[in-house]
Amino acid sequence: MVKKKDYTNGLPDPSKLKEEILAKYPRKVARKRDKAMVVNDPGVDQEILANVRTIPGIITQRGCTYAGCKGVVLGPTRDIVNIVHGPIGCSFYAWLTRRNQTRPATETDANYIPYTFSTDMQDENIVFGGEVKLKEAIREAYELFNPGAIAIFSTCPVGLIGDDVHAVAREMKAELGINCFGFSCEGYRGVSQSAGHHIANNQLYKHILGTDDRARMGKFQVNLLGEYNIGGDAFEIEALFEEAGITLLSTFSGNSTVESMAYAHTADLNMVMCHRSINYIAEMMETKFGIPWIKVNFVGAKSAAKSLKKIAEFFGDAELTAKVDAIVAREMAKVEAVREAIKPKVEGKVAMMFVGGSRAHHYQDLFGELGIQVVSAGYEFAHRDDYEGRKVIPNIKIDADTRNIEDLDVEKDDVRFRNDLAAKKAELMEAGYKFSDYEGMMPDMKKNSLVIDDVNHWETEKLIEFYQPDLFCAGIKEKYVVQKYGVPLKQLHNYDYGGPYTCFEGAINFYQEMQRMLDTKIWKLVDAPWKREPEIVGSMTIEA
């Protein structure tokens, strides 16, 4: 049996590992991948190459622009019919694979999430155009379900043949008298699903946000941005808000409705969970309506407690603060009892995680609570600010791929702009309270941890050989190869049918699941076929 590596005295310098990985690539490819791999030093400002196109031929974990738009941002919204204009495979890919849960208030409330809507484009539509078929699909969906809103999502063939989903949306909006709008989110439009997030944010801002000026619904009104209710995560957060007396107007977009998004602009505060997918909406809402935003994290018990207290601090209400403190004290006592029982069984284990959104960062807090070391991490679709912090945004170059995405001209709404919130923000900032701030993942990672953007299959194999991890966190594409190495893999995209993992009950769920995964002996019995069969090793001889 291979002796496990000891990381108690710090992580080893992975520079040699990085050199070995890069040596396999052609010279031009190696130069590019070199910039996307950083031997981390939290005390130094380091630049990483991110949000660039994946090198052709490399097995990437990424999804496409359409997946980010439809599957991530709009997928969890229950009262809108999301019609995919394209082949049926695209619809199936973005339908329920992320395990977005929802909970309608009554049995009669609209919930279209269980359905998948598609124009099911065939060869004939590719040749002669699919706009007629799209109109027929919209009419049929309206006749069957009578929704208040219909969204149309473009897939790759639509962009290639030139179908105008926006013109169709305008025509059908006039014909049916409902909100109907489209997304130019063809899969190839951006470098990854990140482009789809941006496109979704833009269209939600243009067609939904601010269309319902309803009266106040509570004393402390907030929106939660970038929480998608995987495995019921949003339910845990909602329950805590309700107990504390905080009115959650809208979530973008876990357990959400477009009805609630329409009056989200009446909130007092926006909270951003997944920085990458939703910071656009947060910025636009502050510019137009004066609603400040803060970065929060409800993954991890200590992080959840910190976020709740930061919300209470913003409102500065003694009763709210007392309620939050009581909730935190009660729940942390439960969490600590479970943590103390489980931590000795998993402490010192080694984990790696390569997932999307902010999860590769957020889940390090949960691992830290159990004493599990994260030796390497990275994102599928991050930008530099997700790694290095928002301070680098002014220095990020605008490239051709970024120009594919519409840049909205957002202006202040002189009538509905919240001057009181702008004044409150200025006062709190003077006292040291942080708004519109995210320091990124790299400053929170240990020295000599290896940070990799858009990790591929070859790099994954070398990481496993070098670090000998006890746990690998990623997605379905990597799951079975990693497990054949004798390393358990936890999907942090859909939780492997587990969860929730947010807040205090979620932390307990995660602790218990880590004990089950890491305390079992079964993985040591795995004998991967490539360990006993001849291996064919290829080499790249063409310099590019």
Side-chain angles (χ1 to χ4, degrees), residues 349-486:
K349 299 289 187 181
V350 174
M352 298 189 293
M353 61 180 87
F354 295 93
V355 284
S358 297
R359 292 176 188 270
H361 186 188
H362 289 167
Y363 275 82
Q364 294 190 42
D365 290 350
L366 266 175
F367 284 130
E369 291 169 9
L370 290 175
I372 298 173
Q373 293 202 62
V374 177
V375 294
S376 185
Y379 294 120
E380 293 179 10
F381 50 76
H383 298 196
R384 280 184 56 200
D385 45 310
D386 299 299
Y387 289 105
E388 304 170 51
R390 289 181 63 86
K391 65 180 183 295
V392 305
I393 290 179
N395 301 322
I396 296 177
K397 296 177 181 178
I398 305 299
D399 57 17
D401 290 312
T402 306
R403 292 190 182 96
N404 281 337
I405 305 170
E406 181 183 12
D407 188 15
L408 297 185
D409 184 16
V410 181
E411 296 182 352
K412 177 182 177 181
D413 186 327
D414 291 327
V415 176
R416 297 185 290 179
F417 188 86
R418 294 284 301 277
N419 290 297
D420 59 322
L421 294 180
K424 186 182 187 70
K425 176 181 176 179
E427 181 182 341
L428 286 171
M429 284 185 69
E430 191 173 344
Y433 191 97
K434 288 188 176 182
F435 290 93
S436 310
D437 180 69
Y438 179 46
E439 295 180 354
M441 180 175 75
M442 288 164 59
D444 278 352
M445 293 189 68
K446 291 185 177 181
K447 184 177 176 61
N448 285 335
S449 54
L450 189 58
V451 181
I452 306 178
D453 184 68
D454 188 24
V455 72
N456 59 57
H457 186 84
W458 158 248
E459 292 161 1
T460 298
E461 290 185 356
K462 299 308 292 182
L463 288 170
I464 292 173
E465 291 173 8
F466 180 82
Y467 285 110
Q468 301 170 24
D470 299 287
L471 179 69
F472 199 104
C473 299
I476 187 64
K477 300 186 187 82
E478 311 82 69
K479 180 178 178 68
Y480 300 105
V481 170
V482 171
Q483 289 181 167
K484 286 176 182 178
Y485 268 97

Side-chain angles (χ1 to χ4, degrees), residues 298-358:
F298 288 98
V299 177
K302 292 179 181 178
S303 296
K306 182 179 178 180
S307 295
L308 283 172
K309 290 186 176 185
K310 187 169 185 177
I311 296 165
E313 185 183 354
F314 169 80
F315 286 106
D317 182 88
E319 184 179 356
L320 175 62
T321 299
K323 283 184 178 180
V324 166
D325 287 344
I327 291 170
V328 169
R330 181 194 71 210
E331 296 300 319
M332 284 301 293
K334 299 177 188 175
V335 170
E336 282 300 307
V338 178
R339 190 180 74 88
E340 288 176 8
I342 292 178
K343 184 177 179 180
K345 301 175 182 178
V346 299
E347 190 172 15
K349 299 289 187 181
V350 174
M352 298 189 293
M353 61 180 87
F354 295 93
V355 284
S358 297

